Amino acid sequence: MSEPVVPVESGSAPDLVELARVVAQQRAEMDRLREQAATSAVVERAKGVVMALTGCSADTAGETLLQRAKAARRTLLEESWITLGRSATARPGSDASPTGPMRDADDATAGLPETDPAEEPSAPDDVADALSRLGRALVHADTPQALARCLRDHLGQDLGADSVMIYARRLSGGLELIGHAGIDDRLAAQWRQVPPFSGVAVVDALQAGEPRWLEDFAEDSARYLLIGEPPERWLSRAWLPVPAGEGPEVCIGVLRGRSGPFTPRDRAHLRGVVRLCAGRLRTFTARAEPTADAPPDAVRALFAALPLAAMLLTPLRGPSGEPEDFRIDAATAQVADVLGGTGKDPVVGRRLREFWPDLEDTPVGRGCLDALAGGETYESEPFAHQEIVDGVAELSTYAVRVTRLKDALVVTWVRHASSDRQEQRLADLQRLGNLGWASWNLATHEASWSSQVFSILDRDPVDGPVPLANLPELAVSDDRPALGLAVENLAQEGRPFDLPFRVRGPRGVRHLRLVAEAVADTHGTPVEVHGFVQDLTARRRAELALVESERAILTQHDVLQSERTLVARLQNALLPLPEREVNLAGLRVEVAYLPAQAGIHVGGDWFSAIELPDGDALFVVGDVAGHGVDAVATMAQLRFTAKGMVITGSSLTGALARLNTLLLHSRDTHGTATMVLARYRPAERRLVWAQAGHTPPLLLRGGEVSYLRRPSGVLLGATTTPRYEEAECRLEPGDRVLLYTDGLVERPPENIDVGLARLAEVVAAHPGDETGSLGTLLESMLEDERRDDVCVLDIRMPKER
C-alpha cells in the first residue's frame, strides 16, 4: 500500500526553488523577445528603405536584403544597418528611385546605391565575426554616448582602443562632440566645440571625406593640433568619416595609447565599423529632426506641456523671398503674458507683428532674422520687459534664445530671478577681475572656495580646498615665511592682511594676491576667515615690461642727447653765426639758422657769405640729407670745399660738378645734398647763380615777388654724369633776394608748391625795409614745432639816396 501524498506547505523550500526557476525562465524569455523585437525593428526599417527606393513589395525587399547580405558575407542585421546608413545617398523621387509600379525581385536592387568593391574588400573571418557581434550590440546603443561606449568596448578588445570620440558637423560649419568614451568630462568639455579651422585632424578628415591615420606621433604633432592633456596620452589615432549621401557629417575617432601603425586588418575592421555605425547614427538624426509632415496637433501638444514661455514661428516671406513677418504655429500658455496679452487671448495662428509692430528694430527681432538666415543660435543679453501678470503690469528681466529648426524658429524666454542675476553678476565679477572668494571655518576646519580660486591655483576641485594652515605651502620657497606669518597672525590674533605671493604650476610662476580677514566670536576669538585670491600675473608682467621699456628709453635718450650736444657744438664751431647783419660788396646780408625741434638730431643745413679776393661776394646755401654726426661732417666738407674751389678760380658749375664727384667717391658719406651757389659782381650789379636740386631764390622788387628761373642741375651725389647751368639776374636798388633751405617752406604732407606760395605772400606782406625783418618773416612762416632745420640768407641792395 503506497504512502499518501502529503501536500507541500506554501513557503517551503521546494516551492521557493521552483518559483525562482520559473521567474528566471520568464525573465530569460522576456530578454530574448526584447532582443528579437529590437533586431526585427532594425530589419523592418531597412526593408522600408529598400521599398521606398525601389518600389518593390515587403517580401521582395526582405529577399533583397538577404541576397545582398549573402553576397557580402554579412549577417542580415549587418546588412540592415548598412542599408540604413546608405539611405541618405538616394531618396524617393530621385533619379535612382522608380516612379512606376512595384518591381520584380530581379529588378528590386535597381534603385539601391551600389556597393563600391574597393570600399568593401573581403574582410578576414575574425573581422567578419567581430562585425557581426558589433551589429548585435548596436541594437542597444540608443544614444550617441551609448554608441561611443559600445565602440570602445568592442574596439578595446580587437584593436587596443583606449578611447572613442564622435563628432558631428553643425550648421555653422564647426564640429560638436556628441559622444565619447574613455575620456574624462573635463577634456570632453574642453573639446566640446571644434571650429572649422585647418590643423585639426577630425576637421581635415571630414573636409576630405577620407580617413586620417595618425600613426607617427612626432610627425602628427607637427602637422595637427592633437586632442589630449597631454597629447602624448594617445600615441596613435584614426579619424574615420561616416559615409553619407551629400558628404560626411559625422566622424568617429579611435584613440590608442600604444604607438605603431594600423595594420591592413585593423583598417578593414574600422571601415566595417563606420559602415555599420552609419545606420545607427542615421536613426539618431531621424529621431532628432522632426519631419516636415509632423502632425501640428502633436507639436502644439508638446509646446503646451513645456513649463516655460516658448513658441514655434514660421516665417512669412514677401515677393522678394525675404521674411516679412512670422506666424505663431505653437506656443505655451506663458507666451500670452510675455507678449502683452491677457493670457486668455488666442496666440497660435496670429502674426508676431500683431504683438511687436517694431519687430525689426528690436534686438530679439534682429536675432530671429539672423538665426533664420545663418542658422546660428541667438542668445540675447538680459533685458527688462514689461508683462501682464494677473492683470497687473510688471517689469521683469528676461533673456531670449532663438534656434532654427529647419525653416522654422523655436523662441524661448528665460525669466531671471533677482538671486540668479546676483549670482551671475558675482560670477562675472570674479571672472573679469580674475579673482575668487574663499572662506575657512577655524572651529570645524571646513573650507569653501569658489570655482575661480581652483582655477587660479591650478587645483582640481575634486581634491577640495586647501586648509588655511597649509596655504603657505603653495607659495614658492622665498614667499612662504611672510605668508605663513600672516596666516598665523590672522588665525591667532585676527589681524587682517593683504599680501602678494608667488606660486609655481603648469603655467609657470604666477603672481597672486591674498586678502583675508577674520570674524571673531563674542570673546574676540577668530572663528572664521574669509577673503579673496586674485591673479596679478598679467599686471605684474606688464609692470615689469613697462619698467624695462622706461629704462631703455631713458638710456637711449641720454645717448641721443649726448650726441645732440656734441653735434651742436661741432656745428657751432664749423658754422659760426654773425651776431648782426654784414655788408658784402655793397650788399646788406642777414643770416638765420634754426635747428629742428622735432627729434634730437642736428641736421646738415649750412650757409656761406664771404667776400672774394677780387671784390665779388659769394653766397652759398646747402642742405645735406640726414641728421647727426655724419650729416654735420658732410656739411663741413662741402662748405669748405665749395668756398675753396670758387676762391681758387673755379666757375660755379665747375664747383658743383667737382662736389658731386666728391660725394660719389667719398667712403665716409655716400649721401646726397642740395646747394645754391651765387656770385655777385658789384661793378655790374650782376648776380650769377647755379643750383643742384635746390629751391629757387626769391626776388622782391618794387613790392612784386617772383622766383628766379632755375637753371638745370640735379642734386649732388645722385648721378655720375650731372649737367649744371648758370643763370643771372641784374639787381636794382631796393631789391631783396632770399636764399633758403626747404625747411622754410615744407610742411608735410602738403605739396612744396603750397609752401613756396605761402613764402611769396609773407614776403609781399613784410617787404623787409626795416632792420630785423628776417625775424618777422620766420615767425610768420614757421610752425610751433619744426621738423627740419631752417637756414636763410636775406640779401638786400640798399636804395639809392
Side-chain angles (χ1 to χ4, degrees):
M1 182 175 178
S2 62
E3 296 180 358
V5 178
V6 180
V8 179
E9 296 181 3
S10 178
S12 63
D15 187 26
L16 292 176
V17 172
E18 180 65 15
L19 182 59
R21 185 181 64 80
V22 172
V23 170
Q25 289 178 348
Q26 291 178 342
R27 183 173 298 162
E29 181 65 12
M30 290 180 63
D31 292 340
R32 186 187 66 81
L33 293 175
R34 190 178 295 111
E35 179 82 10
Q36 183 179 358
T39 303
S40 299
V42 176
V43 175
E44 292 299 319
R45 193 179 297 122
K47 289 169 61 176
V49 169
V50 175
M51 294 169 62
L53 294 176
T54 64
C56 66
S57 64
D59 292 338
T60 304
E63 184 63 24
T64 299
L65 289 175
L66 285 173
Q67 291 176 0
R68 291 172 68 94
K70 184 177 180 181
R73 299 176 59 196
R74 288 192 285 257
T75 65
L76 177 60
L77 183 58
E78 290 178 79
E79 186 62 31
S80 298
W81 283 127
I82 294 175
T83 300
L84 291 174
R86 290 191 182 128
S87 63
T89 62
R91 299 185 181 279
S94 64
D95 294 339
S97 178
T99 56
M102 290 187 180
R103 297 177 176 268
D104 297 331
D106 295 337
D107 198 28
T109 62
L112 290 175
E114 292 295 327
T115 300
D116 186 0
E119 180 189 352
E120 298 186 7
S122 178
D125 291 339
D126 58 336
V127 172
D129 293 339
L131 293 177
S132 176
R133 293 194 302 272
L134 178 60
R136 293 192 299 271
L138 290 179
V139 172
H140 305 288
D142 54 354
T143 64
Q145 187 69 13
L147 175 60
R149 289 193 296 266
C150 176
L151 291 178
R152 198 270 304 268
D153 295 340
H154 172 78
L155 297 175
Q157 301 175 2
D158 280 66
L159 277 79
D162 297 300
S163 305
V164 171
M165 304 179 76
I166 304 177
Y167 277 96
R169 196 197 308 270
R170 294 309 181 206
L171 292 175
S172 62
L175 308 184
E176 181 180 359
L177 183 65
I178 61 174
H180 61 86
I183 67 173
D184 53 82
D185 293 337
R186 181 178 179 181
L187 183 62
Q190 179 182 354
W191 288 89
R192 179 74 59 187
Q193 304 291 336
V194 176
F197 299 152
S198 60
V200 182
V202 59
V203 176
D204 190 9
L206 273 176
Q207 290 177 345
E210 298 176 354
R212 289 294 179 259
W213 310 97
L214 280 63
E215 301 164 316
D216 186 333
F217 181 82
E219 180 181 345
D220 298 332
S221 59
R223 181 181 180 187
Y224 294 114
L225 175 63
L226 299 180
I227 296 174
E229 271 190 9
E232 295 86 357
R233 176 178 175 181
W234 296 295
L235 298 178
S236 60
R237 311 150 190 253
W239 291 100
L240 300 100
V242 178
E246 299 176 357
E249 297 294 330
V250 178
C251 192
I252 296 176
V254 178
L255 300 88
R256 304 189 305 184
R258 73 182 191 211
S259 60
F262 292 86
T263 65
R265 175 194 175 281
D266 296 340
R267 297 192 178 198
H269 190 174
L270 288 175
R271 287 192 175 96
V273 166
V274 295
R275 283 194 296 271
L276 290 179
C277 291
R280 178 77 275 184
L281 288 165
R282 183 70 184 161
T283 62
F284 299 155
T285 306
R287 187 185 310 165
E289 298 178 358
T291 59
D293 57 350
D297 292 340
V299 175
R300 292 172 181 172
L302 172 63
F303 271 78
L306 295 176
L308 74 165
M311 60 185 178
L312 179 67
L313 302 180
T314 298
L316 302 176
R317 303 183 183 274
S320 64
E322 296 296 326
E324 296 180 344
D325 201 350
F326 293 91
R327 184 181 65 246
I328 304 175
D329 283 343
T332 62
Q334 298 88 335
V335 166
D337 294 334
V338 172
L339 294 179
T342 63
K344 299 179 181 179
D345 299 332
V347 173
V348 175
R350 299 173 64 178
R351 298 194 173 197
L352 194 57
R353 284 189 182 274
E354 297 181 34
F355 304 97
W356 286 348
D358 56 344
L359 178 65
E360 68 278 1
D361 297 329
T362 64
V364 175
R366 292 191 294 270
C368 290
L369 296 176
D370 293 342
L372 185 64
E376 294 283 350
T377 298
Y378 167 76
E379 294 186 6
S380 75
E381 294 291 331
F383 61 91
H385 179 72
Q386 183 172 303
E387 58 181 333
I388 306 299
V389 179
D390 297 330
V392 179
E394 291 186 359
L395 194 63
S396 304
T397 301
Y398 278 94
V400 171
R401 179 184 177 90
V402 182
T403 305
R404 194 177 82 174
L405 184 64
K406 289 194 173 180
D407 196 33
L409 296 177
V410 176
V411 182
T412 55
W413 281 265
V414 178
R415 184 174 182 177
H416 295 273
S418 58
S419 59
D420 295 338
R421 188 59 181 153
Q422 287 297 109
E423 290 183 3
Q424 182 61 39
R425 287 173 179 169
L426 179 60
D428 292 341
L429 177 63
Q430 294 184 78
R431 176 178 53 83
L432 295 174
N434 207 1
L435 56 84
W437 59 263
S439 64
W440 291 270
N441 191 312
L442 302 181
T444 63
H445 302 290
E446 295 178 350
S448 178
W449 287 2
S450 67
S451 58
Q452 193 71 16
V453 175
F454 287 100
S455 177
I456 292 174
L457 294 175
D458 290 320
R459 185 174 177 82
D460 193 335
V462 176
D463 298 331
V466 175
L468 182 62
N470 298 340
L471 197 62
E473 298 177 2
L474 300 179
V476 298
S477 57
D478 292 344
D479 296 344
R480 287 175 191 168
L483 183 58
L485 181 60
V487 169
E488 182 180 353
N489 291 336
L490 175 67
Q492 295 180 1
E493 304 175 12
R495 188 182 306 172
F497 66 84
D498 183 343
L499 190 68
F501 66 99
R502 293 164 296 172
V503 297
R504 190 184 307 275
R507 292 178 285 175
V509 175
R510 289 180 298 114
H511 297 261
L512 308 182
R513 173 193 181 196
L514 175 59
V515 180
E517 63 180 6
V519 178
D521 59 12
T522 56
H523 303 288
T525 302
V527 294
E528 187 177 4
V529 171
H530 55 79
F532 67 86
V533 180
Q534 186 175 18
D535 191 342
L536 303 177
T537 305
R539 182 188 304 176
R540 181 59 177 161
R541 288 174 179 170
E543 291 173 352
L544 293 176
L546 180 60
V547 171
E548 290 297 325
S549 178
E550 290 178 349
R551 184 181 294 114
I553 290 174
L554 290 176
T555 302
Q556 184 68 10
H557 180 271
D558 292 342
V559 172
L560 295 178
Q561 191 62 41
S562 300
E563 180 183 341
R564 176 184 173 86
T565 302
L566 173 63
V567 173
R569 291 178 179 176
L570 179 61
Q571 188 180 50
N572 290 335
L574 297 175
L575 192 66
L577 292 175
E579 297 180 355
R580 60 179 64 89
E581 67 179 31
V582 296
N583 292 309
L584 294 175
L587 301 176
R588 288 165 34 203
V589 181
E590 190 176 355
V591 180
Y593 176 80
L594 300 174
Q597 292 179 340
I600 64 173
H601 288 301
V602 178
D605 290 18
W606 87 94
F607 69 92
S608 285
I610 61 172
E611 191 168 309
L612 300 175
D614 58 1
D616 293 353
L618 175 66
F619 303 105
V620 184
V621 170
D623 185 1
V624 175
H627 296 80
V629 177
D630 292 339
V632 173
T634 304
M635 175 269 289
Q637 188 179 33
L638 293 177
R639 181 172 184 262
F640 293 113
T641 303
K643 289 194 299 182
M645 288 180 179
V646 176
I647 290 174
T648 56
S650 292
S651 64
L652 301 183
T653 55
L656 289 177
R658 290 181 176 87
L659 292 174
N660 179 76
T661 303
L662 177 66
L663 280 185
L664 287 174
H665 297 283
S666 175
R667 295 182 178 180
D668 299 329
T669 56
H670 302 290
T672 58
T674 65
M675 182 185 296
V676 169
L677 285 174
R679 183 168 187 160
Y680 175 67
R681 303 182 185 277
E684 304 168 0
R685 292 182 179 177
R686 188 160 57 98
L687 183 70
V688 180
W689 69 289
Q691 63 88 28
H694 205 85
T695 50
L698 179 144
L699 173 64
L700 173 63
R701 173 176 293 171
E704 298 292 332
V705 178
S706 63
Y707 287 98
L708 300 183
R709 181 189 61 81
R710 292 177 65 196
S712 299
V714 298
L715 77 164
L716 304 177
T719 177
T720 58
T721 58
R723 180 171 174 266
Y724 299 106
E725 295 181 352
E726 292 182 350
E728 67 176 58
C729 172
R730 183 177 177 82
L731 299 184
E732 298 178 2
D735 283 355
R736 183 183 185 187
V737 177
L738 291 181
L739 304 180
Y740 52 92
T741 56
D742 56 7
L744 182 66
V745 293
E746 279 189 337
R747 290 185 186 177
E750 69 180 18
N751 191 286
I752 193 172
D753 293 337
V754 178
L756 293 173
R758 182 168 51 248
L759 177 60
E761 294 175 0
V762 171
V763 172
H766 304 281
D769 296 333
E770 69 282 358
T771 302
S773 61
L774 183 55
T776 304
L777 171 68
L778 295 176
E779 290 179 359
S780 302
M781 284 296 297
L782 301 179
E783 297 178 311
D784 294 336
E785 181 177 340
R786 294 183 297 279
R787 299 175 179 271
D788 199 359
D789 297 349
V790 176
C791 185
V792 181
L793 281 180
D794 188 356
I795 306 169
R796 285 167 289 184
M797 174 171 282
K799 296 180 179 179
E800 293 181 345
R801 297 181 179 178

